[in-house]
Amino acid sequence: MTVRIEPVGGAAAIVDGAVSAGAPVPRPRDWSDFASPRPDGLLGLDLVVEGITCAACLSVIEHGFAGLPGVAKARLNLTNRRLSFEWNPALINAGDLVRRLERLGYRAQPFDPGRRSMEEQAEARELLRATAVAGFASMNVMLLSVAVWAGNVSDIDPVTRDFFHWLSALIALPAAVYAGRPFFRSAWRALKVFRTNMDVPISIGIILTLLLSLWQTMRSAEHAYFDSAVMLLFFLLVGRTLDQSMRRRTRAVAEDLAALKSSSAVKILADGTLREVPLSRIEPGDIVFVRPGERIPVDGIIEAGVSEVDYSLITGETIPVPVAIGDRVYAGTADLMGALTIRVMAAERGTLLDEVNRLLEAASQAKSAAMRLSDEVARRYAPVVHLAALSTFLGWMAMGERSDAALVTAVSVLIITCPCALALAVPAVQVVASGMLFRRGVLIRSGDAIERLAAVDTIVFDKTGTLTLPEPVLLNAVSLDRLAQGLDSGAIPCRSDGPIRSGNALEASGRLAAASSHPLGRALAAAAGNPMPEPSAREVPGRGIEATVDGERERLGSAEFCGLSGTEVDVFRAAYPTASIVYWRRGTQAPVAFGFRQGLRSDAKQTIAALKAEGYRIEILSGDRVDAVSAAAVALDLDVWAAEQSPTEKVARLQTLAGQGRRVLMVGDGLNDAPALAAAHVSLSPITAVHLSQVAADAVFLGDRLAAVAHALAIARRARRAMAENLWISIVYNVVAVPIAVLGMVTPLVAALAMSGSSLVVTVNALRLRLGDATVETSTAETIEIKP
């Protein structure tokens, strides 16, 4: 295939063919080719925007399209830099939108998750290299500066001092040029379109400090400030590297959801033959075939077949759900046992999996608005610093001071007002608090999670895998004969300390269960001591496991498979009203039922009671059955709960609570919890959670104990107080130090020491948190006391 590149608007464009994977992607000739129809006659287009650095960029872009005729939506996601447009094609076209974006100082490409991943990896490598260079230069220049400072108060000769200054310049100048590229490029893009961003004052400050230092070195002055420039670069690069890393982790949510979505489906044609076709060619009303072990590719209704489906995407319940003709199934769920024929209701678009993805992305975008205020304060603070320095320079010049002396005073103001202490005030506490949380088994994944945890007044728990243990446990094993004789009460506790063995039935059924990959089979095998599988065992798809042992047939599986009558099933069901039951039978002997249920975590009741005593409002939102959720609520003495909740309903409930002014902590583990975890004010997930939920959560906790939730809340409250103290320290420092520097009463060296001292004070105050690490203590009696 030939490739012809033509200039379009000053850039190259693909006319025919494709470019290699490693080559830069030229600008498309017709952006409307990438648009897709949206509701109400609108068109939609998703772009990835280059040059995004902070929330100020989000404001510039979204405000740049606000009120533009024909544009119904222009929404930028800071996490993946995805800009989504919806517009009326009769009033404006896609090319006009892209050109307007370029006039704002940003370049765009069609959104491609795969390509975006490669770009982010390249950005991460560049930031890491720049950080390493700045760190190496900072250490070496600081060693030289310490020698000069010591010599200036003793007997260093000018030649040696100049040599150290020139050596510092030799290290700092190329290091700053290389390590400062991310800031310089961003600042230049902004200045080219006559606007500013946060990187403009940063770049000016670094360049000005380096030029002044070079000028001081050329005139053999006592002081040069190369160390200040490279150290500032190093700390800024560390922060940007961490921010980029967090964005990459958050972007993985979309990739995990995409992994659940099939790209093709096996379609049953009109003549009855099977053909695998792309999902884009599947329409509502088509018939598709799903084999055992495959993920269901569409939303639809079962036309033929019986199986069990992993519905954890929908309900959060890990125990498979039996399905048959007439039942509805959903894309992304797994067919575990039998072949299914499904009539399609939704395929490539409009599935429940798409809805979960949409909710998750919308919730993530909403959360980014909470960070906008912080970024706005930082953006406004930097120009104030440089305005103060410029005013100081002009003021001293107007008073007749020499230009070099006025510049030194201005640089002193610039250094002493450098927001290092302000920048460390919150992160220093976060680092210390994160370490304390780690020792308590809580791993923080979001930079501002501690602040948001401290503001919580309402806690919403998922049930399955959160309040309960993630894996089903065997509650009891009982034969029909024993029930008939009244030897078993049939009562099922919420948590069992161990199975009640039923003679050889548990051992024999365990050997059959060991040959199965079914979750209940694994639980039964574990209860039997994980024996070796029965050699003659074979799986009957959709029904169970059977084998011939000592001339007799043994079966493990459904009631029908084991030959139980409706009356016998009713007897077992009455004894196990809320459990999942697996049956075992040998020959014509009385059948044995094994009841399974997910038990409450060992400290769930004590933790919930302690949290209620602290004044938290607590609710349960679960996708599980009403009777199971009701039993858990009664055991935990909770009055507010809801069962059979879909992902949409969970998000709606959290939005209702937020509308009431509540700050909600969501604790959940299921795939269906991911949108709710992202939509909550803050979220926690157990380490046993599915990967998607862990990525959506702000923190994860280790182990089987729920006390980690109480630990996290107590530590967060103490950390918030320390953050407030550090911010006040930073404010008082600037109020006192800035006037002294403006009056010319400090040198750049003293300014640097004062700036370092303020940073040291806020760091020590953060470390003070460790002195009172008595946050949440669990005694051997399982009572939990929360100490703020």
Side-chain angles (χ1 to χ4, degrees):
M1 178 179 289
T2 60
V3 178
R4 188 172 81 258
I5 307 295
E6 294 184 351
V8 177
I14 299 178
V15 177
D16 185 23
V19 296
S20 65
V25 175
R27 184 185 305 166
R29 180 178 227 177
D30 189 355
W31 286 95
S32 61
D33 291 343
F34 297 91
S36 59
R38 301 288 166 89
D40 304 323
L42 301 177
L43 291 179
L45 176 65
D46 290 336
L47 304 174
V48 59
V49 183
E50 299 176 1
I52 301 294
T53 58
C54 61
C57 299
L58 181 148
S59 178
V60 168
I61 292 174
E62 292 191 351
H63 287 134
F65 289 93
L68 194 65
V71 177
K73 183 184 83 168
R75 179 68 58 83
L76 176 65
N77 187 328
L78 276 179
T79 298
N80 54 17
R81 304 178 187 180
R82 180 178 183 176
L83 178 59
S84 298
F85 285 116
E86 288 185 4
W87 74 92
N88 186 340
L91 300 177
I92 195 170
N93 61 54
D96 293 334
L97 297 174
V98 175
R99 284 188 288 273
R100 184 176 183 86
L101 183 65
E102 291 175 346
R103 287 197 296 272
L104 293 174
Y106 301 92
R107 293 192 303 170
Q109 295 176 4
F111 184 77
D112 179 356
R115 180 175 179 82
R116 180 64 198 146
S117 177
M118 291 188 293
E119 291 174 350
E120 286 189 343
Q121 290 175 9
E123 290 175 11
R125 288 193 295 269
E126 181 188 28
L127 283 173
L128 191 61
R129 287 193 296 265
T131 304
V133 168
F136 175 81
S138 297
M139 290 185 293
N140 285 276
V141 173
M142 182 55 69
L143 287 174
L144 294 169
S145 298
V146 169
V148 172
W149 297 342
N152 283 337
V153 296
S154 58
D155 57 353
I156 190 172
D157 62 273
V159 174
T160 303
R161 183 179 59 224
D162 290 347
F163 173 74
F164 281 171
H165 282 167
W166 280 113
L167 193 56
S168 297
L170 186 63
I171 298 172
L173 291 175
V177 170
Y178 179 84
R181 290 180 303 165
F183 305 102
F184 300 153
R185 282 198 304 262
S186 174
W188 178 242
R189 280 195 298 264
L191 292 174
K192 280 198 303 184
V193 293
F194 304 103
R195 66 174 184 86
T196 62
N197 62 14
M198 198 170 173
D199 291 331
V200 171
I202 289 174
S203 300
I204 291 175
I206 292 170
I207 293 172
L208 182 60
T209 303
L210 290 172
L211 291 177
L212 174 62
S213 300
L214 188 61
W215 170 250
Q216 293 285 83
T217 300
M218 292 173 64
R219 53 191 296 270
S220 298
E222 286 189 5
H223 303 292
Y225 316 105
F226 296 109
D227 51 344
S228 299
V230 291
M231 286 185 68
L232 181 61
L233 261 180
F234 174 68
F235 287 120
L236 290 170
L237 284 166
V238 169
R240 185 149 297 184
T241 301
L242 294 175
D243 177 70
Q244 203 263 2
S245 175
M246 192 156 309
R247 287 183 182 179
R248 289 181 63 193
R249 288 202 305 268
T250 306
R251 182 187 51 77
V253 173
E255 295 179 353
D256 290 339
L257 277 177
L260 295 177
K261 187 170 184 178
S262 303
S263 59
S264 62
V266 177
K267 182 178 179 179
I268 302 179
L269 304 180
D271 59 1
T273 59
L274 303 180
R275 178 177 299 173
E276 186 169 0
V277 299
L279 210 58
S280 58
R281 293 176 56 187
I282 300 293
E283 301 290 340
D286 288 346
I287 305 295
V288 299
F289 180 76
V290 180
R291 301 178 180 89
E294 294 181 342
R295 286 204 174 271
I296 297 173
V298 299
D299 285 7
I301 303 294
I302 296 177
E303 294 275 308
V306 176
S307 184
E308 291 187 354
V309 175
D310 177 2
Y311 268 169
S312 58
L313 170 65
I314 313 302
T315 66
E317 178 63 60
T318 57
I319 296 177
V321 177
V323 294
I325 295 174
D327 289 335
R328 182 164 183 170
V329 291
Y330 301 92
T333 57
D335 177 13
L336 298 177
M337 301 291 287
L340 297 175
T341 301
I342 302 171
R343 181 172 296 277
V344 178
M345 299 182 65
E348 189 176 29
R349 295 182 181 274
T351 64
L352 183 66
L353 186 61
D354 289 333
E355 177 70 3
V356 171
N357 194 8
R358 185 191 66 79
L359 288 171
L360 190 58
E361 183 173 338
S364 298
Q365 287 180 327
K367 185 182 291 185
S368 68
M371 300 297 296
R372 194 176 304 176
L373 179 61
S374 174
D375 288 329
E376 185 71 10
V377 170
R379 184 179 68 86
R380 292 181 181 275
Y381 183 81
V384 169
V385 169
H386 292 91
L387 181 61
L390 177 61
S391 300
T392 299
F393 176 76
L394 296 176
W396 280 101
M397 288 291 292
M399 293 170 60
E401 185 63 77
R402 298 193 324 271
S403 59
D404 56 342
L407 186 59
V408 168
T409 303
V411 170
S412 298
V413 173
L414 187 66
I415 294 174
I416 208 168
T417 55
C418 181
C420 288
L422 188 61
L424 283 172
V426 173
V429 176
Q430 286 178 332
V431 170
V432 174
S434 296
M436 294 166 61
L437 287 168
F438 177 76
R439 290 193 296 274
R440 298 289 188 174
V442 181
L443 309 180
I444 295 295
R445 303 179 60 87
S446 176
D448 64 334
I450 294 174
E451 297 169 83
R452 287 184 279 124
L453 277 169
V456 165
D457 56 23
T458 302
I459 308 173
V460 174
F461 286 96
D462 173 50
K463 182 193 76 70
T464 306
T466 304
L467 291 172
T468 65
L469 294 170
E471 298 298 331
V473 294
L474 177 61
L475 297 173
N476 209 344
V478 59
S479 71
L480 185 61
D481 290 343
R482 289 178 63 82
L483 280 179
Q485 296 169 19
L487 299 179
D488 263 279
S489 64
I492 303 174
C494 287
R495 177 178 179 271
S496 173
D497 292 327
I500 302 173
R501 294 180 178 268
S502 180
N504 293 326
L506 181 61
E507 300 171 11
S509 61
R511 288 194 293 271
L512 293 185
S516 173
S517 60
H518 194 285
L520 295 185
R522 293 197 300 267
L524 180 56
N530 292 311
M532 290 295 294
E534 175 61 45
S536 62
R538 70 179 187 89
E539 186 166 7
V540 181
R543 306 190 71 186
I545 303 285
E546 69 174 5
T548 301
V549 182
D550 298 332
E552 287 193 285
R553 184 176 64 183
E554 290 186 7
R555 283 187 169 182
L556 176 71
S558 65
E560 180 185 5
F561 183 56
C562 293
L564 274 72
S565 66
T567 303
E568 291 174 318
V569 171
D570 291 341
V571 171
F572 282 122
R573 178 52 63 190
Y576 295 81
T578 62
S580 298
I581 301 178
V582 173
Y583 300 92
W584 174 84
R585 193 167 201 170
R586 174 183 290 167
T588 58
Q589 294 181 15
V592 175
F594 298 95
F596 294 88
R597 191 166 157 193
Q598 292 172 315
L600 288 176
R601 292 178 184 265
S602 61
D603 64 337
K605 188 171 183 178
Q606 292 77 18
T607 300
I608 295 297
L611 291 171
K612 288 172 65 177
E614 286 294 308
Y616 291 105
R617 173 177 174 174
I618 301 178
E619 300 183 9
I620 299 177
L621 282 182
S622 176
D624 204 354
R625 306 181 309 276
V626 172
D627 52 2
V629 180
S630 174
V634 170
L636 297 172
D637 192 25
L638 294 177
D639 298 326
V640 184
W641 56 272
E644 300 179 357
Q645 297 288 292
S646 69
T648 304
E649 290 169 330
K650 289 187 177 185
V651 171
R653 176 57 181 165
L654 294 182
Q655 291 173 341
T656 299
L657 290 172
Q660 297 171 356
R662 295 278 178 177
R663 300 296 180 91
V664 181
L665 164 63
M666 177 70 194
V667 187
D669 81 318
L671 187 56
N672 65 319
D673 294 320
L677 290 168
H681 182 69
V682 65
S683 54
L684 276 168
S685 192
I687 196 67
T688 52
V690 296
H691 179 61
L692 176 61
S693 294
Q694 289 183 14
V695 174
D698 297 301
V700 298
F701 60 91
L702 309 174
D704 293 334
R705 302 177 64 79
L706 201 62
V709 176
H711 287 301
L713 292 169
I715 291 174
R717 290 198 300 271
R718 295 185 62 230
R720 179 175 60 177
R721 289 198 295 269
M723 290 176 188
E725 292 165 358
N726 276 355
L727 288 172
W728 276 109
I729 291 171
S730 302
I731 292 171
V732 171
Y733 160 77
N734 281 282
V735 169
V736 173
V738 171
I740 295 176
V742 170
L743 293 174
M745 300 174 65
V746 298
T747 65
L749 173 60
V750 174
L753 292 174
M755 181 195 68
S756 301
S758 65
S759 301
L760 180 61
V761 170
V762 297
T763 301
V764 170
N765 189 56
L767 292 172
R768 191 172 57 86
L769 280 175
R770 296 180 178 177
L771 299 179
D773 190 6
T775 51
V776 183
E777 298 181 357
T778 306
S779 71
T780 56
E782 297 293 342
T783 58
I784 296 175
E785 178 185 3
I786 298 180
K787 300 179 181 179

